[in-house]
Amino acid sequence: MLKSIATIEYNSLTFMCISRLFFGLLRLMIVKFNAIFIMKISFEKKILLGFIINLLVVIASGWVFISRFNKQRDEAMDSLLNWIELSLFVLSIVLLTIVYFIIKAQLRAKNISQNLLLENKQLLQSIIDNTSNPIFIKKINGEYVLINKQFESLFQISNEEIIGKTDHDFLPKEVADGYRNSDLEVAKALKELKMEETIQQPDGPHTYIAVKFPLYDSTGRIYAIGGISTDISERKKLEESFKVTDKFFNMSSDMMIIGTKEKFGKVNPAVIRILGYSEAELLSKPYTFFVHPEDLEITKREVGKLQKGALMIQFKNRFVCKDGSIKWLVWSISPELSTGLLYAVARDVTAQKETEDSLVIADKFFNMSNNLLVVAKGEYFIKINPAFTKTLGYTQEDMNTIKFMELTHPDDKNIADEVLAKLLRGDAIVNFEDRVRCKDGTYKWLDWHSTIDVQQGVLYSVARDITEKVKNEQSLKIVNNFFEMSFDAFFVEKEKKIIKINPAFTKILGYNQNDLEKMSLLDLMHPDYIKIVSERRAKRLKGEEVEADVMFPILCKDGSYKWTESVVSTDVKEGMIYAVLRDITQKRLDEELLNNYTQKLKDNEQQIQTIFDGAPDPVIVIDSESNVLRWNPKAESVFGWKIAEIIGKPLFEFIVPTRYRELHKTGMEHFLISGIGPILNKPYEIEAVNKEGTEFPVSLSVSPVKMGEKYFFIGFVRDITESKQAINELYENEETLRLIIENIGEGVVVANADKEIVMANYMANEIFGIEEDSKISLNLSDHFELYFPDEKTVFPSQNLPMERALGGEETNDVDIVLWNPVAQEKKRVLISGRPLIDQNDKVIAAVVTIKDISKYKKMEEELKETELKYRQLIGFRKGGDTVI
């Protein structure tokens, strides 16, 4: 009996040693596999390694199973084999779990990429919606892919309504055909094109400059057409309006001059008429040449004030005419400090001045004066001259009963009151302008010069009819507005520097006046044209004749070039060049497009055939009777039919399964009658059949094309057999992994980087006593009191595997005692944690496994008690004493 007991004890000890050795090896295999898992190897290699290791586990399990058939085996080892077999089964489940998380990590990375793509698309939509120009993107077949809010507003159609539609779905046929033709031209040219389009809007037709450009996919193939439009309607109107600018300038009866502090730069015909000099004489000499010597110093002082930015208003001086006569002029001058130019308007007041200077003999010429002469006392004109009667229509008898204030326009009575007040205060002469009612009820503008004899209470006034002058001044304002609004670029060049430009110059080329302070036209020329323009410029400045101007490109501020044609005038004496540039870039593009169009038509057929032959997927063209017109090489390889076998024959007899043929015919007839096809212009999945009679799934996209009165249909086919199989396999694997995780004997908890529980299996729910995953807290201390195995020392929560895994640290079999104070229940568990790392070595999640070893620990304690009893039975001595 004692021998039997000793044998049992020996087998027990042997079993414990072999078990510990096996579990040590098993733990080493898990550590090694985890090391492989976190290595940066491809997804396919990770799956293959998992399969190989799992296969080895299955082989080992098979070996254990086969060894049981040996009748000579040591039956005492059966218990050990049971443990080994159970461990191998657990190891197999762990390996499958790890493979599941590998696949899940890949799927999560895919979802992240898809979300990023969606965010980028939303960002693109937000950006283009906040631009001021209409923007669109179309597929090659004309279907809209994207539009912005300005495009929606322009055509009164929303983004959701237009997606998948073409221009023919919401625009008149003629307009839609024009847009479609321009899209095809971009697709043929494979480059950006500009074109002018007219769009009808509620306030009338608007002209737009449309810039259309091709969009390419990752393979370099064009797949869409983009477009940006700019409204140029106002610019068109301004181009027409600018033509009348010079007419107003030349029509003015007052002298109008543009010049510098030294010379005249430009004069109107009134200057020539009043002073008698020719335009060349006026522009070739300094202005001081024409000023009367006695007025020269005061004139220079006033010009000096202009250089400081002061305005000159109603300044009078004398000019010597060509015939030697003297003219009194009243000047209003405005300086432009940035360019040094002076804009002046002068009125000939010689007659008025001579009248003032000859006041002694005024009565002799009272009746001869062309100006209105009046003498007033009290509230009446006591004397008027014939000019007054001629201009306003009143006789002296009329004025004896009419108060002069009654003739003043109601809006100008305040001016008349102020003038009277100034005269009464002692001002010698007061000049003012107001409107006076004529006898026929109309009003005329009069320029008054008034003085008063305060002692006698007599008012003396001279007036000149300036009605036409006022009209001309208003006209001049209009002329200046047209000048500023011109669509053509104006500039003035002197000493190889551009000293003046108009707004159109900035709008067309991008430069402002400050940009051009140290630049000449040659600095803006294209290198190929610098020589010819320089030679022409030199000839002009020498006064030589120059042949007709050529068209040349000019450098814009943004680095691009624009083609221009010019009209140039030269002031040889002053060395100044005046030029008008017109933007003809679009005209040049149109000419180039027209020149290339014929050649492109010749190449069109060959290009189409090349596109068909090089397409990576089957491309098929049929007519309205379903007869095959084109059949590319890829269609031959996918369906097995050679082009000679199928060309000119009905398509449905070759690749459409029998059960779909009647539907194909019915759908074709319906489209030809109604113009509506349910599967047109969008991807559609259906079965096709090859020459061998094998059916397989395809993705089909059909686009109708109308040429003349006939319809043609272009079909793009893609074999999706492999993608279908891949999706099905993915679903099967995902379901298998889900079942494995739910049925393993350990609790599995997954938390994301934000410390949120995203998954817990059935065993984890049971350990926590919580059915809903979202209610499980990442911190175990929220559910349990944590202790070391001695059940006394508190375990720090910051050392839990979950916290360490989220920090990027791996932990294995952390032995912890969980005490549930609510259920008054204690559990002994082993917790392991693994971080999940993305391609950027960033922790994106953590996986924690919880193994409940309470039963094993209880069995271990019971085994120790049994061992103690055996020792007592056999009289085992401890410390030299016999156990009794």
Side-chain angles (χ1 to χ4, degrees):
M1 181 177 178
L2 291 175
K3 182 178 179 180
S4 176
I5 293 172
T7 300
I8 293 172
E9 180 180 87
Y10 173 77
N11 289 336
S12 262
L13 292 173
T14 302
F15 169 76
M16 291 175 63
C17 292
I18 293 174
S19 297
R20 289 177 180 175
L21 177 61
F22 175 76
F23 283 115
L25 292 173
L26 180 61
R27 183 176 301 168
L28 180 60
M29 289 177 65
I30 293 174
V31 171
K32 291 297 184 181
F33 184 82
N34 287 333
I36 293 173
F37 170 68
I38 64 176
M39 289 174 61
K40 292 185 178 179
I41 60 177
S42 67
F43 175 69
E44 292 78 10
K45 288 183 179 180
K46 289 180 181 179
I47 297 299
L48 179 61
L49 287 173
F51 171 78
I52 293 173
I53 297 174
N54 202 31
L55 181 61
L56 293 176
V57 173
V58 172
I59 292 172
S61 299
W63 174 81
V64 173
F65 179 79
I66 293 172
S67 66
R68 294 179 182 277
F69 292 101
N70 185 4
K71 295 182 179 181
Q72 303 298 325
R73 70 183 185 277
D74 184 0
E75 294 181 358
M77 292 297 289
D78 285 351
S79 177
L80 176 60
L81 293 174
N82 289 335
W83 280 103
I84 292 175
E85 187 170 13
L86 177 61
S87 300
L88 289 172
F89 175 75
V90 171
L91 178 59
S92 177
I93 291 175
V94 171
L95 292 174
L96 289 174
T97 301
I98 294 173
V99 171
Y100 164 76
F101 284 112
I102 293 174
I103 295 175
K104 187 171 183 180
Q106 295 294 325
L107 292 175
R108 181 175 296 139
K110 179 180 178 181
N111 291 334
I112 292 172
S113 299
Q114 291 175 343
N115 292 335
L116 182 59
L117 180 61
L118 179 59
E119 291 176 358
N120 289 337
K121 183 177 180 181
Q122 292 173 345
L123 178 60
L124 172 62
Q125 185 69 48
S126 176
I127 291 172
I128 68 173
D129 280 345
N130 285 280
T131 62
S132 60
N133 295 349
I135 298 175
F136 69 85
I137 297 177
K138 302 179 186 174
K139 294 182 180 177
I140 292 297
N141 61 9
E143 292 180 9
Y144 280 90
V145 176
L146 179 70
I147 64 173
N148 67 347
K149 290 183 178 179
Q150 288 69 29
F151 193 97
E152 292 179 0
S153 176
L154 182 62
F155 290 99
Q156 300 299 310
I157 186 168
S158 67
N159 197 9
E160 293 75 18
E161 293 173 335
I162 202 172
I163 297 305
K165 295 183 179 180
T166 66
D167 293 318
H168 289 87
D169 293 327
F170 65 96
L171 291 175
K173 180 180 180 303
E174 295 79 10
V175 177
D177 287 344
Y179 290 168
R180 181 59 180 162
N181 290 337
S182 65
D183 293 343
L184 292 176
E185 290 175 2
V186 174
K188 294 172 185 177
L190 295 178
K191 64 179 183 179
E192 174 188 300
L193 296 179
K194 293 183 180 180
M195 52 208 70
E196 189 171 296
E197 297 176 347
T198 301
I199 300 176
Q200 188 66 35
Q201 294 184 222
D203 60 346
H206 282 232
T207 303
Y208 283 81
I209 287 293
V211 179
K212 295 187 178 181
F213 48 87
L215 298 174
Y216 300 91
D217 59 19
S218 59
T219 64
R221 293 175 54 203
I222 180 173
Y223 74 95
I225 301 295
I228 303 175
S229 299
T230 303
D231 190 347
I232 62 168
S233 303
E234 292 301 323
R235 190 176 75 184
K236 283 282 186 181
K237 295 177 182 178
L238 291 176
E239 285 178 347
E240 297 173 359
S241 301
F242 181 78
K243 297 178 181 179
V244 302
T245 301
D246 284 341
K247 292 183 179 179
F248 284 110
F249 184 83
N250 294 329
M251 288 170 57
S252 176
S253 59
D254 284 333
M255 297 168 57
M256 301 179 67
I257 299 171
I258 300 175
T260 65
K261 65 178 182 177
E262 297 173 354
K263 301 180 73 174
F264 297 143
K266 183 177 182 180
V267 298
N268 71 339
V271 179
I272 300 171
R273 176 175 52 81
I274 292 173
L275 298 182
Y277 297 99
S278 67
E279 182 177 10
E281 292 173 329
L282 290 167
L283 300 182
S284 62
K285 295 180 174 60
Y287 76 90
T288 54
F289 175 83
F290 308 101
V291 178
H292 192 281
E294 295 179 5
D295 295 340
L296 189 58
E297 289 301 321
I298 189 173
T299 301
K300 288 182 177 180
R301 287 199 300 270
E302 290 299 320
V303 171
K305 295 179 182 178
L306 289 172
Q307 292 180 277
K308 298 179 181 179
L311 296 178
M312 181 187 290
I313 300 175
Q314 297 295 319
F315 169 73
K316 294 181 182 179
N317 66 357
R318 288 168 288 182
F319 265 50
V320 180
C321 300
K322 187 173 183 178
D323 61 1
S325 62
I326 306 298
K327 294 285 187 180
W328 278 93
L329 303 177
V330 175
W331 295 89
S332 293
I333 304 177
S334 176
E336 187 175 84
L337 297 180
S338 60
T339 61
L341 293 178
L342 303 176
Y343 299 86
V345 177
R347 185 175 70 247
D348 181 10
V349 294
T350 304
Q352 174 187 332
K353 187 64 178 176
E354 289 175 349
T355 301
E356 292 175 351
D357 293 339
S358 305
L359 186 59
V360 177
I361 59 173
D363 287 340
K364 296 181 181 179
F365 299 98
F366 186 86
N367 294 326
M368 298 173 58
S369 175
N370 291 325
N371 293 324
L372 285 70
L373 304 178
V374 297
V375 180
K377 188 171 184 180
E379 296 180 342
Y380 297 92
F381 287 140
I382 60 175
K383 185 176 182 181
I384 61 173
N385 71 338
F388 188 97
T389 301
K390 182 179 179 181
T391 303
L392 301 180
Y394 300 103
T395 64
Q396 184 63 61
E397 289 75 15
D398 297 329
M399 298 311 301
N400 291 336
T401 58
I402 300 175
K403 297 178 180 180
F404 60 78
M405 291 297 290
E406 295 176 358
L407 302 180
T408 304
H409 191 283
D411 294 341
D412 297 337
K413 286 187 175 180
N414 290 336
I415 297 176
D417 291 339
E418 291 178 2
V419 169
L420 186 58
K422 288 181 178 180
L423 291 172
L424 293 175
R425 285 198 302 267
D427 289 1
I429 298 176
V430 177
N431 301 331
F432 67 98
E433 296 175 358
D434 69 353
R435 286 162 289 182
V436 177
R437 187 179 73 246
C438 300
K439 191 171 183 178
D440 60 7
T442 61
Y443 282 90
K444 287 191 176 182
W445 278 95
L446 299 181
D447 180 18
W448 294 92
H449 296 267
S450 300
T451 186
I452 191 172
D453 183 343
V454 179
Q455 293 181 350
Q456 299 294 326
V458 176
L459 178 68
Y460 301 92
S461 296
V462 178
R464 184 170 62 91
D465 183 1
I466 60 169
T467 305
E468 292 300 321
K469 170 182 171 294
V470 172
K471 291 180 179 179
N472 290 336
E473 287 177 347
Q474 294 173 349
S475 299
L476 180 60
K477 292 180 181 178
I478 296 174
V479 170
N480 289 334
N481 288 335
F482 284 135
F483 179 83
E484 293 295 319
M485 295 188 298
S486 171
F487 279 120
D488 289 335
F490 285 72
F491 73 89
V492 180
E493 184 181 12
K494 184 177 182 180
E495 297 177 356
K496 296 185 179 182
K497 297 293 182 292
I498 297 176
I499 61 175
K500 178 66 177 178
I501 62 173
N502 70 336
F505 191 101
T506 302
K507 186 174 182 180
I508 294 173
L509 301 178
Y511 302 101
N512 57 36
Q513 189 63 58
N514 293 333
D515 297 329
L516 300 171
E517 285 184 354
K518 298 181 180 180
M519 300 176 70
S520 70
L521 181 63
L522 295 180
D523 296 325
L524 306 181
M525 295 301 304
H526 189 280
D528 296 344
Y529 289 82
I530 290 178
K531 182 178 179 181
I532 184 172
V533 174
S534 179
E535 291 174 352
R536 290 168 177 264
R537 183 179 182 280
K539 288 182 179 180
R540 285 194 179 95
L541 292 175
K542 292 178 182 179
E544 300 178 8
E545 291 187 2
V546 178
E547 57 185 303
D549 294 306
V550 297
M551 296 180 290
F552 50 83
I554 290 184
L555 177 67
C556 300
K557 189 175 182 179
D558 61 7
S560 63
Y561 281 92
K562 286 190 177 181
W563 280 92
T564 63
E565 61 181 2
S566 63
V567 177
V568 180
S569 177
T570 307
D571 181 351
V572 178
K573 298 289 187 180
E574 297 294 331
M576 299 181 71
I577 296 176
Y578 303 87
V580 180
L581 300 178
R582 175 161 293 177
D583 183 1
I584 60 168
T585 305
Q586 186 60 45
K587 178 181 177 182
R588 291 278 299 190
L589 292 175
D590 292 342
E591 290 175 352
E592 292 177 3
L593 183 64
L594 182 60
N595 293 335
N596 295 332
Y597 188 69
T598 303
Q599 183 61 39
K600 289 180 180 178
L601 288 176
K602 295 178 181 178
D603 298 338
N604 186 46
E605 179 61 28
Q606 182 62 37
Q607 291 176 351
I608 293 175
Q609 190 61 48
T610 301
I611 292 171
F612 269 77
D613 292 344
D617 294 318
V619 181
I620 305 166
V621 180
I622 63 174
D623 59 18
S624 57
E625 297 178 356
S626 295
N627 295 322
V628 178
L629 302 179
R630 289 186 184 271
W631 181 264
N632 73 337
K634 191 63 177 180
E636 291 184 356
S637 64
V638 171
F639 294 101
W641 298 99
K642 298 296 183 182
I643 188 170
E645 297 176 299
I646 197 170
I647 199 74
K649 298 177 182 179
L651 178 68
F652 56 81
E653 293 182 0
F654 294 87
I655 71 171
V656 178
T658 305
R659 62 183 181 278
Y660 294 140
R661 292 180 182 177
E662 287 302 321
L663 290 175
H664 174 85
K665 295 177 183 178
T666 304
M668 179 68 77
E669 293 172 356
H670 177 71
F671 174 79
L672 294 176
I673 295 173
S674 64
I676 299 174
I679 68 171
L680 297 179
N681 298 319
K682 59 184 178 182
Y684 187 78
E685 293 187 5
I686 195 172
E687 290 77 24
V689 62
N690 60 18
K691 188 174 183 180
E692 297 177 355
T694 303
E695 289 191 13
F696 57 94
V698 297
S699 175
L700 173 65
S701 177
V702 180
S703 298
V705 178
K706 190 173 184 181
M707 300 181 67
E709 297 299 324
K710 293 184 178 182
Y711 272 103
F712 298 91
F713 301 87
I714 303 176
F716 300 88
V717 185
R718 183 164 56 87
D719 185 354
I720 59 173
T721 304
E722 293 183 0
S723 61
K724 285 280 188 181
Q725 292 175 349
I727 292 173
N728 292 336
E729 290 175 1
L730 181 60
Y731 287 153
E732 292 175 1
N733 291 336
E734 188 173 322
E735 182 64 19
T736 301
L737 288 173
R738 187 186 67 78
L739 291 173
I740 290 172
I741 291 175
E742 288 296 335
N743 289 280
I744 63 176
E746 295 182 359
V748 179
V749 178
V750 181
N752 60 23
D754 295 327
K755 298 186 178 182
E756 298 174 347
I757 302 298
V758 296
M759 190 199 77
N761 68 346
Y762 173 78
M763 184 56 69
N765 295 140
E766 184 175 302
I767 292 173
F768 283 96
I770 297 174
E771 295 183 359
E772 297 182 25
D773 297 350
S774 60
K775 293 185 178 180
I776 296 176
S777 173
L778 178 66
N779 190 349
L780 291 179
S781 60
D782 293 342
H783 302 284
F784 307 100
E785 295 179 4
L786 310 179
Y787 297 96
F788 280 98
D790 62 5
E791 300 184 12
K792 295 180 181 179
T793 306
V794 176
F795 190 93
S797 60
Q798 63 270 21
N799 290 339
L800 287 170
M802 179 64 79
E803 293 289 341
R804 295 164 69 180
L806 289 174
E809 182 181 354
E810 179 182 323
T811 55
N812 294 303
D813 295 341
V814 178
D815 196 348
I816 302 175
V817 175
L818 306 179
W819 168 252
N820 189 337
V822 178
Q824 294 292 305
E825 183 181 9
K826 176 179 68 175
K827 291 182 181 180
R828 183 84 172 269
V829 296
L830 294 177
I831 305 178
S832 299
R834 298 287 186 276
L836 293 181
I837 311 296
D838 63 10
Q839 296 178 350
N840 298 319
D841 293 332
K842 182 181 178 181
V843 177
I844 59 173
V847 179
V848 172
T849 58
I850 306 174
K851 183 177 181 181
D852 188 351
I853 60 172
S854 302
K855 293 181 181 179
Y856 300 116
K857 288 298 181 180
K858 185 175 181 182
M859 291 174 61
E860 185 178 328
E861 292 175 358
E862 291 176 352
L863 182 60
K864 289 181 181 180
E865 292 178 1
T866 303
E867 181 183 352
L868 180 60
K869 290 179 182 179
Y870 283 137
R871 291 175 185 270
Q872 291 175 348
L873 288 173
I874 63 176
F876 181 78
R877 294 178 180 274
K878 184 176 181 182
D881 297 328
T882 300
V883 178
I884 299 176

